[in-house]
Amino acid sequence: RLTGQQQEINNLIQRKIAVDEENARLKNEFSNLNQKFKDKSQELKDTEECAQKKEEQNRLVIKNLEEENKGLNTCCADLLNDLEKLRKQEAHWKTEKSGNDARIKNLETDLAEAREQMKDLRSICSNLSSQVAVKQEELSQKDCDVIRAKKELQELQNLYRQNIEHTTQQAELIKQLQALNTD
């Protein structure tokens, strides 16, 4: 009978060793996963900061372009006003017509250039809007990554909790074995 109990104790000890090894493996795996989570969190933070900086830069560029556009619109309006004044005064300046004709031609050239610049600025604004849309899409993707990482962490925490419960059961079993051994 004693050898049967000894055999049973030996079996239980072997099982405990196997469970301890599994515990160590799970702890190691948990530690690795936790480190991966930290790395991913830092990567996400860096990406968000980068996206925020780029968004801020884009806002600044758009603001500058809008201000520049406003200035060009004012300049364009001024040029149109000047041109209108010159046309009204044309009757009074017939004696100096050749000089005024050259000036009007210059103003019309300036106006055409200003319109061309406005066209270019509109194109730039359109490109920037597209870039902002792309950045927003990237940000949305990063949000999805964070959600996925949180879900993985939750699963790891559940595994860890189960592991602790398992360890507690083992400790209880060892106590019982020691009590049996003492008896």
Side-chain angles (χ1 to χ4, degrees):
R1 177 169 180 200
L2 191 62
T3 18
Q5 282 182 343
Q6 186 63 44
Q7 182 63 40
E8 194 178 332
I9 288 168
N10 285 345
N11 288 345
L12 286 170
I13 287 168
Q14 283 177 350
R15 275 175 53 200
K16 180 198 175 300
I17 290 167
V19 167
D20 284 347
E21 286 172 357
E22 179 65 12
N23 261 351
R25 189 187 68 73
L26 285 172
K27 279 181 184 174
N28 190 35
E29 191 178 322
F30 174 75
S31 176
N32 290 341
L33 286 169
N34 203 24
Q35 185 58 45
K36 278 184 189 173
F37 175 72
K38 284 179 184 172
D39 294 346
K40 288 288 178 191
S41 294
Q42 185 59 45
E43 189 181 323
L44 175 65
K45 186 180 169 191
D46 294 344
T47 305
E48 283 173 345
E49 283 174 5
C50 182
Q52 218 170 12
K53 282 178 188 172
K54 283 187 179 176
E55 199 175 325
E56 190 57 42
Q57 286 172 353
N58 287 345
R59 271 201 290 268
L60 195 62
V61 168
I62 289 169
K63 186 183 170 190
N64 290 339
L65 287 172
E66 283 171 350
E67 285 174 8
E68 195 177 333
N69 198 20
K70 192 175 170 185
L72 286 171
N73 283 337
T74 306
C75 180
C76 184
D78 291 343
L79 289 170
L80 284 169
N81 287 338
D82 288 348
L83 185 60
E84 190 59 34
K85 284 176 189 175
L86 285 171
R87 284 184 177 153
K88 284 179 183 175
Q89 292 173 359
E90 192 176 6
H92 302 290
W93 300 97
K94 283 197 176 177
T95 52
E96 299 171 31
K97 192 174 186 306
S98 60
N100 282 337
D101 284 349
R103 187 170 175 212
I104 288 168
K105 190 176 177 184
N106 289 339
L107 287 171
E108 285 174 341
T109 304
D110 289 345
L111 180 60
E113 286 173 3
R115 284 186 177 143
E116 196 61 36
Q117 286 175 352
M118 277 174 56
K119 191 170 145 187
D120 292 343
L121 287 171
R122 281 195 190 103
S123 173
I124 289 168
C125 283
S126 173
N127 288 341
L128 286 171
S129 294
S130 300
Q131 289 175 20
V132 167
V134 168
K135 293 299 170 194
Q136 285 172 338
E137 180 62 32
E138 288 175 5
L139 198 58
S140 173
Q141 184 58 49
K142 293 297 173 188
D143 285 344
C144 291
D145 291 348
V146 168
I147 289 165
R148 191 164 44 254
K150 282 181 181 173
K151 191 173 177 186
E152 287 175 10
L153 178 62
Q154 183 64 50
E155 289 170 5
L156 284 173
Q157 287 172 337
N158 289 342
L159 273 173
Y160 183 69
R161 203 176 307 109
Q162 289 171 4
N163 202 5
I164 286 175
E165 288 170 9
H166 196 209
T167 305
T168 306
Q169 289 171 0
Q170 282 180 345
E172 191 59 39
L173 190 60
I174 288 167
K175 271 191 201 171
Q176 290 173 7
L177 281 172
Q178 287 173 341
L180 276 172
N181 199 19
T182 308
D183 286 351

